[in-house]
Amino acid sequence: MTQPTKIQQIGARIWAALTSLQLTITCLTLLMALVFLCTLAQVEMGTLGAVNTYMRSWFAWWSPRGSTFQIPVFPGGALVGLVLIANLTAAMIKRFTFSWNKAGLWVIHMGLILLVAGEFVAGALQVDNRMIIREGETVNFLESYRDTELVIRDVSDPAFENVFTIPSSRLAKGGALPLPGSPLAIKVVRFYKNAELSALRPEDHAPLANRGVGASVKVTELPGETAENKMNLPGAIIEPVAGNQSYGVWLISTQLGAPQSFVHEGRTYVMSMRIQRQYLPYSLTLKKFRHDVYPGTEIPKNFSSLVQLQNTNQGDNREVLIYMNQPLRYQGRTFYQSGYEGDTITILQVVWSLRSACSSTLAFPCASRWGGGPHHENHQIHPLAGGSTGSGGDRDPGLTPVQGARLRSEYLW
Amino acid sequence: MRGFDLNTFGSLPVLEGGRVKPLDAMARNSLLVIRSQQSFRFEGRTIQAEEWLADLMFRTSVADTQPVFVINDPDVLGILGVPQTTNRYFSFQTILPHIETIERQAQAAHAIEAPKRDRFQNAIANLYSRLLLYHRLRNSIQLADSPGLAFELGVSGQPAATNRYEAMAQIAFFRPLPPLPGQNPDAWKNTGEALRAASQGTLHPGLELLGRLGAAYANADPQSFNRAAAELRTQNRINQPEAQKQADSELLFNRAQPFYAGMVIYVLALLVLFASWVWKRELLQPTALAILMAGALIHTAGLVSRVILQGRPPVTNLYSSAVFVGWGAVILGIILERIYRKGFGTAVAAAAGFGSLIVAHHLASDGDTMEMMRAVLDSNFWLATHVVTITIGYSGTFLAGAIAIGYTLRKHIVGESDVETSKALSGMVYGVICFSLLFSFVGTVLGGIWADQSWGRFWGWDPKENGALLIVLWNAIILHARLVGYVRDRGIMVMAIFGNIITSLSWFGVNMLGVGLHSYGFMDKAFWALSGFIASQLVFMLLCWAPQMFWKRKVT
């Protein structure tokens, strides 16, 4: 028998702490407090805000009134979850011996580890988008719920569109952004996270923009929206330049209906700001949207979207009926019937998650597409689209993410 | 009543709220919404809901003088120009002169999101919607100023009549005319629609009968009324036997009031059990259990009837969850009693059953308790698995809390605390908590799977889900705290009582998020009730926690 070394002693102590039930109880209690706070905070911050603050963070921060520095005052859900997983795993290794009597305990605790780990993955990797289709329309892109982007389209060629997109999050950082493969760059003069536009009155200051509609519009910056069902209405003042040549200072905003354009060396560039899009290698055509109610009431009985799924690369061309509790799963994405607008517009929630992607035979979608700087794509003008859809063209601006009846998260009480 | 066969009248099936129900049920629910009661006293006698409805549709002038609108808000009373007295019930006639003001104020209130309305805005919007319901019922079979359906049929084809039919078709609250054989089974008609069809050549045979029924009622001619009602019933039996059978069954169910009977029996069981503690224990304790089981039997019968009537699993809304939670607690309590035979299981089961049925009774004032399921929730599989498991979890947590309260009362108020019983009680609580942890956990996971299937995410951290998670976490904490020795018998009891608070918060509390202290709607009443409940549980926790010197008799 030899004396355990110092390191062994410390190791044993750490191991004892890591496997202790005290740690379990502490974690569970902290988690309860976090869940409680997160629930209460949802009234003010909306679900997403509260979840990001309390559950998907390493620490819950607090900044004293009137100051900018932040103090970590409470462990966040991510930290507690991680410690809990470590604790559970270690305790299982140390304590559990397998016997049929204990099989139930094993299953429950293993299940717990999976669930907590699953939430980490979901928090980090799940991407929610949506697809809005009008009856008869063909759509081959997803729209973000709240992110926007600047889009510049070279529409000179009748068969092709050269489309450049810059996420608003990149615009917010300012600077000059060269458009890849073109002589142009976009200088960001100013970015508004949330802005109200109104007609310019004589007593107002001269606007920053000197070209297009922006020259006669007053921009008032608003505080960012936090409520779940409201979205920011961002805008920016930009200056397209080619070398030393400026094409004027323009206002772009999701609130401006008509796209604005300038001509550089005979090529016409159309600028607009829109909900961020992600293009798919396939398209859905809405053939029929149904919205049934119980007779004599407004209580929804069923919603369904009959769509034609077309994927020329894979040779897929088939009809799919998407309805409540019956989503379409295709190439790692799941399309849920999530809402509607009027009688003819369907809103599908589109979820990409690691799980569904793994279960599909196809590789990862280009997730990197969602970060970063200007992005360039070539879009063939879609033969089925009536000019307004399918390609990078701007669809009618009538729909904002907050509109449309939502069918999500309904409960019995 | 006055020779009118209102039973037959009440048994006639109508389509309202998306489902076929007896006229009686619709009348009860409507009166419940308007007056918060299913019957009322007027001129020295009790008016039942179906008589009120008959008056409202066929003897409008009488109904308009009956005090059916309950108004509590002082500012709304101010609009009516009446002083705040003990009388809180007003007739349509009293309200009528102020209707424009009410409408204007209600429109202003409607412009504000419901959770942000203040007390007055809520009250006025609520009064307006009740007036609207009253108005629609009043004009459902025939327009209030019409001489009757016979007259309407007679003037068929005249332009003015066509306009009236349109108005009736728009305003009617329910559809009393079933589809004829061969027609779409959903194609029930209101009288306006039927009159329109009649003017185009298709006369619904029920239309003429309804006309006779109404005229007979207005003319105080019970014989003709009863004949017309019987003929309508016969006609339904031939054309829509299923609908008439459904309406008859529901009528029987509503008349039987099994949950009310259950409530009374549970109280009785509780009283007998209390008596057993001071007198003839050997005799009274089994008697109390027998009474409890009788109550449970009626409770079960009521639940099963609802399942059959609705064609749904037992829990489909808040009301039915209360009924089911109580049932679960009673059944668990009976099982405990069979195991431990101390009378304790009987006591907590009876108390839990009574309490939850009282809660259900108050929840019923929202109107129809068998309303149709919204599309997303329309899945009998998940209703039967996720919802039922979760509610059983609630039952267990409440039962554990109830036993813990019993333990506290016994020890600190009655002063009995033999070690053996205390051990038995803490054994019970431990077992019940294990049980409810299992069910809450499985139920929560099932809920996640459902959410993943229909909304695309397993977990969304939304208040409802968080509530369920809190119950799971709390029960897990109790078990682990016991395992590690942080708590013993008494500590577990204190924690089990806190489980009541957690469960009530996740059951009702999350629905009140965002409901400030300003609004005085239904949820607000519930808010105070919930606050009171939580306060009482805190008192019990303190009592249980109090050091030995505060106990009535010291443990030896």
Side-chain angles (χ1 to χ4, degrees), chain B residues 320-372:
Chain B
S320 51
S321 75
V323 170
F324 190 79
V325 164
W327 181 81
V330 169
I331 299 300
L332 283 175
I334 290 176
I335 294 172
L336 285 182
E337 184 61 37
R338 300 294 298 169
I339 299 172
Y340 291 92
R341 296 179 189 276
K342 295 259 177 206
F344 224 83
T346 310
V348 288
F354 172 72
S356 63
L357 285 182
I358 282 274
V359 169
H361 179 75
H362 284 283
L363 290 172
S365 62
D366 270 359
D368 194 353
T369 62
M370 293 195 233
E371 76 256 80
M372 304 310 285

Side-chain angles (χ1 to χ4, degrees), chain B residues 5-12 22-25 27-28 38 48-51 247-261:
Chain B
D5 180 6
L6 291 171
N7 278 335
T8 306
F9 174 66
S11 78
L12 297 173
L23 200 91
D24 168 83
R28 278 165 189 262
Q38 297 194 353
Q48 296 294 338
E50 68 257 17
E51 184 181 355
D248 286 347
S249 314
E250 190 177 335
L251 185 71
L252 189 69
F253 174 78
N254 286 343
R255 293 268 160 86
Q257 297 195 317
F259 301 129
Y260 185 77

Side-chain angles (χ1 to χ4, degrees), chain B residues 150-487:
Chain B
F151 165 82
E152 299 290 358
L153 274 170
V155 296
S156 174
Q158 294 175 14
T162 312
N163 289 341
R164 292 166 68 85
Y165 300 169
E166 279 309 316
M168 289 167 75
Q170 292 296 320
I171 203 166
F173 181 67
F174 62 93
R175 300 163 188 228
L177 297 166
L180 299 172
Q183 284 179 343
N184 175 353
D186 281 347
W188 288 65
K189 283 195 169 71
N190 60 39
T191 46
E193 290 161 346
L195 282 167
R196 193 166 53 196
S199 69
Q200 290 154 3
T202 334
L203 179 66
H204 193 294
L207 202 54
E208 190 261 328
L209 284 173
L210 274 179
R212 269 168 46 198
L213 186 93
Y217 194 84
N219 298 329
D221 176 1
Q223 275 172 4
S224 310
F225 177 89
N226 298 350
R227 223 172 19 243
E231 276 181 53
L232 273 168
R233 220 183 122 79
T234 314
Q235 213 176 68
N236 288 334
R237 277 229 191 96
I238 297 164
N239 290 339
Q240 290 289 330
E242 279 306 312
Q244 186 62 61
K245 231 166 82 187
Q246 169 85 16
D248 286 347
S249 314
E250 190 177 335
L251 185 71
L252 189 69
F253 174 78
N254 286 343
R255 293 268 160 86
Q257 297 195 317
F259 301 129
Y260 185 77
M263 210 149 78
V264 174
I265 295 174
Y266 288 147
V267 173
L268 198 64
L270 206 56
L271 291 177
V272 172
L273 191 85
F274 287 159
S276 83
W277 287 339
V278 287
W279 186 70
K280 291 222 179 208
R281 189 178 188 124
E282 307 71 37
L283 176 71
L284 288 185
Q285 198 170 298
T287 312
L289 179 62
I291 297 175
L292 174 75
M293 284 167 102
L297 211 63
I298 293 177
H299 198 158
T300 311
L303 260 178
V304 172
S305 312
R306 271 185 64 93
V307 168
I308 294 171
L309 281 172
Q310 248 189 317
R312 293 269 180 207
V315 186
T316 53
N317 53 20
L318 192 56
Y319 167 82
S320 51
S321 75
V323 170
F324 190 79
V325 164
W327 181 81
V330 169
I331 299 300
L332 283 175
I334 290 176
I335 294 172
L336 285 182
E337 184 61 37
R338 300 294 298 169
I339 299 172
Y340 291 92
R341 296 179 189 276
K342 295 259 177 206
F344 224 83
T346 310
V348 288
F354 172 72
S356 63
L357 285 182
I358 282 274
V359 169
H361 179 75
H362 284 283
L363 290 172
S365 62
D366 270 359
D368 194 353
T369 62
M370 293 195 233
E371 76 256 80
M372 304 310 285
M373 306 297 305
R374 308 185 78 81
V376 193
L377 305 169
D378 186 3
S379 157
N380 276 356
F381 173 72
W382 291 114
L383 287 173
T385 51
H386 159 66
V387 179
V388 167
T389 343
I390 278 275
T391 21
I392 291 177
Y394 288 175
S395 299
T397 319
F398 275 131
L399 188 71
I403 298 173
I405 291 174
Y407 167 94
T408 310
L409 290 178
R410 191 166 172 282
K411 212 162 190 173
H412 294 220
I413 309 291
V414 185
E416 280 206 26
S417 54
D418 61 293
V419 177
E420 190 201 337
T421 314
S422 291
K423 277 270 164 282
L425 286 179
S426 80
M428 278 190 217
V429 168
Y430 175 71
V432 173
I433 287 174
C434 287
F435 173 88
S436 35
L437 174 60
L438 179 68
F439 274 80
S440 313
F441 178 64
V442 171
T444 306
V445 172
L446 285 172
I449 299 173
W450 186 9
D452 188 53
Q453 287 227 331
S454 55
W455 306 328
R457 87 263 186 309
F458 181 85
W459 194 258
W461 297 108
D462 97 27
K464 218 66 261 191
E465 298 169 347
N466 291 353
L469 180 62
L470 285 177
I471 297 181
V472 174
L473 287 174
W474 184 243
N475 282 328
I477 290 175
I478 301 181
L479 294 188
H480 288 93
R482 181 181 180 272
L483 204 60
V484 80
Y486 277 178
V487 289

